[in-house]
Amino acid sequence: MCSSDLDQAPPENLDSFRHFDFTPQEKLPFKSLKELGHGNQAYVDKVEDISLGCICVRKWWQISEAPLAKEKAKHRFFSEVAILKRLRGECHVIRLLATYCQGTELGLLHLPLGQCDLNVLLRKPAQERRGLISDDDLERGFGCLSAALQYMHQERIRHRDIKPDNILIHGASLVFTDFGISRDFSELSSSLTDGYVVGTYTYYAPEVAADRPRGCSADVFALGCVLLEIWSVLFGLAPEDQHSIPSLKPYYRHLAEVQAWIQEKKSSENSPLRAFWLQACQLMVAKSPSKRPRMSNVLLRLREEYERQPSVFSSMCCRVCLEKRIVQSTEEKHDELRNTDFTWGSDVGTLLDQDYPTSLLPNSNQDPINGKSLMGLSLSFGFVIRH
């Protein structure tokens, strides 16, 4: 069986999660084929797993003997494993196959491998990009990524580092990966937390950049930025073009320009489906967390549009997401979401309003603030996040 076959069609016996303990003397049953990256104390490579009979991705940590570094690496490993097991590889999320331990080395194996990540894809010439995934499938990914994020939030998981680098291109699909700094908030009353700022600052929501309490709405903002970057390329603008959306990074500093960019594209768009997504992105990157939709609001709106114009909106996502995540999952929430105080048609001026004083936002010429958030300030100024 060739490598591509192994990657595309894993054996049937991979349905259940497995853990392996190896002694220091044992030879690991993995053949490293290609280094894929490293960071946050972890290394990632493409491996052939002889015991499982497939080619997959391995992410592994070499645990330091230094107490603090050891605890940090172990925490990252066990947190990521727990989150991936919770998500069960459903709905455009990587699928955990196995974990292993050998002495000071901890590792996890997952699928899919993917042809490249979204960041690499968007920087390729148009012809080369379309050789990996068609523009139609890339646009269809908007609905799939939205359904995937709704599923994460439904399972009370915040990704916290949504960016093109953490989205894989796998065949005609887009798949979320790298849950290394994700947070499980299932034991909290809401997703709202403070603490040290993590993630990639160019995709920070304003409240994250200001080191204020943040919740699922920060994920919504980051996904909105990612979708806009895809739109920018689909509109024929290379990432380095001065008129492209990436030219406005970091987005939280240039929200007026981002909203103006979207408004210009909306004014000349004739496709109802594309107009929908531009409107959705406009709401997702609102300055105030309370002005952004929940992802369940987005899916509900998609369902309503699909019911009105099925021939137009049938291509909004893959068939599985349409049937399982949009038509079915919004059925019981239909009335509840319709009564929410979220306004789908907010004007641009409202979307640039904020829930807290400008003095608490980072200076436009400074990097994001670091350190602990002052939770008391959020109470004093009535900072509300309904996510």
Side-chain angles (χ1 to χ4, degrees):
M1 184 179 290
C2 67
S3 296
S4 60
D5 289 336
L6 285 166
D7 179 41
Q8 297 292 330
E12 295 180 0
N13 61 356
L14 297 186
D15 289 339
S16 59
F17 166 80
R18 303 179 182 189
H19 177 76
F20 301 95
D21 287 303
F22 300 106
T23 66
Q25 293 75 32
E26 286 183 277
K27 182 179 179 180
L28 292 176
F30 314 126
K31 180 182 178 182
S32 182
L33 303 176
K34 181 182 180 181
E35 181 180 345
L36 300 177
H38 60 84
N40 292 324
Q41 298 182 314
Y43 301 86
V44 183
D45 58 353
K46 172 183 177 181
V47 298
E48 180 179 0
D49 187 320
I50 300 170
S51 64
L52 295 176
C54 71
I55 289 178
C56 57
V57 177
R58 174 178 64 160
K59 186 174 183 179
W60 58 280
W61 292 256
Q62 192 67 50
I63 306 300
S64 169
E65 292 300 325
L68 288 178
K70 182 177 182 179
E71 286 306 310
K72 185 177 180 180
K74 287 173 64 178
H75 174 75
R76 281 187 179 275
F77 173 77
F78 289 115
S79 294
E80 186 164 1
V81 168
I83 285 170
L84 290 176
K85 289 174 74 173
R86 277 272 299 282
L87 295 177
R88 301 182 295 278
E90 290 194 27
C91 194
H92 299 270
V93 172
I94 57 171
R95 174 186 172 196
L96 182 64
L97 298 179
T99 56
Y100 73 88
C101 176
Q102 184 185 51
T104 58
E105 182 174 321
L106 298 172
L108 62 85
L109 306 173
H110 70 75
L111 287 173
L113 181 62
Q115 296 99 306
C116 65
D117 65 50
L118 182 59
N119 181 52
V120 170
L121 181 87
L122 296 180
R123 295 182 178 280
K124 290 182 178 293
Q127 187 173 355
E128 188 177 349
R129 183 187 77 239
R130 291 170 184 143
L132 292 173
I133 184 171
S134 70
D135 287 354
D136 286 345
D137 285 331
L138 195 55
E139 192 171 332
R140 190 174 290 112
F142 282 47
C144 296
L145 292 177
S146 297
L149 186 57
Q150 188 277 333
Y151 171 65
M152 289 182 223
H153 292 171
Q154 174 186 298
E155 293 296 312
R156 302 185 70 77
I157 302 294
R158 283 168 47 202
H159 190 284
R160 301 207 299 171
D161 196 18
I162 293 175
K163 57 183 178 180
D165 312 64
N166 288 339
I167 296 172
L168 297 176
I169 308 302
H170 180 61
S173 296
L174 278 65
V175 181
F176 279 109
T177 187
D178 196 351
F179 291 79
I181 60 172
S182 300
R183 173 167 290 184
D184 180 344
F185 61 95
S186 58
E187 296 183 3
L188 303 177
S189 58
S190 78
S191 70
L192 186 65
T193 60
D194 63 348
Y196 293 106
V197 172
V198 296
T200 303
Y201 91 99
T202 48
Y203 297 91
Y204 280 174
E207 65 274 17
V208 179
D211 196 18
R212 302 208 29 98
R214 53 266 182 195
C216 288
S217 56
D219 276 352
V220 173
F221 182 94
L223 180 59
C225 295
V226 170
L227 298 185
L228 287 173
E229 289 190 13
I230 299 175
W231 271 130
S232 190
V233 167
L234 291 177
F235 284 131
L237 300 170
E240 61 274 11
D241 191 300
Q242 63 176 340
H243 301 296
S244 70
I245 271 288
S247 70
L248 299 175
K249 288 182 179 180
Y251 299 114
Y252 69 86
R253 291 183 187 166
H254 306 107
L255 288 180
E257 293 91 335
V258 169
Q259 292 290 352
W261 189 95
I262 301 171
Q263 197 67 18
E264 179 189 353
K265 301 303 179 187
K266 280 174 61 181
S267 65
S268 59
E269 186 53 63
N270 296 318
S271 162
L273 181 55
R274 285 194 164 199
F276 169 87
W277 282 119
L278 286 167
Q279 175 72 18
C281 289
Q282 199 163 30
L283 295 166
M284 291 167 74
V285 298
K287 179 175 286 188
S288 165
S290 64
K291 299 293 194 302
R292 298 175 209 144
R294 298 183 182 96
M295 293 315 299
S296 51
N297 287 115
V298 175
L299 297 196
L300 173 62
R301 189 74 176 193
L302 275 172
R303 172 185 165 161
E304 292 174 342
E305 294 296 340
Y306 173 70
E307 289 173 345
R308 280 195 286 264
Q309 306 178 75
S311 62
V312 174
F313 279 78
S314 60
S315 61
M316 63 187 170
C317 60
C318 70
R319 186 165 56 88
V320 173
C321 286
L322 176 63
E323 295 175 356
K324 188 173 182 180
R325 297 293 166 195
I326 295 178
V327 175
Q328 291 182 11
S329 70
T330 57
E331 184 78 47
E332 58 193 33
K333 294 181 176 291
H334 205 267
D335 292 333
E336 171 194 342
L337 292 175
R338 193 185 297 279
N339 294 330
T340 184
D341 57 357
F342 167 74
T343 303
W344 184 264
S346 300
D347 60 56
V348 175
T350 302
L351 297 176
L352 292 172
D353 290 343
Q354 53 201 24
D355 285 338
Y356 43 88
T358 306
S359 60
L360 292 180
L361 285 172
N363 185 285
S364 61
N365 296 316
Q366 296 176 343
D367 287 330
I369 301 167
N370 293 317
K372 295 289 286 181
S373 300
L374 300 177
M375 181 69 83
L377 286 175
S378 67
L379 301 177
S380 302
F381 293 116
F383 181 63
V384 178
I385 297 181
R386 285 183 284 274
H387 295 260

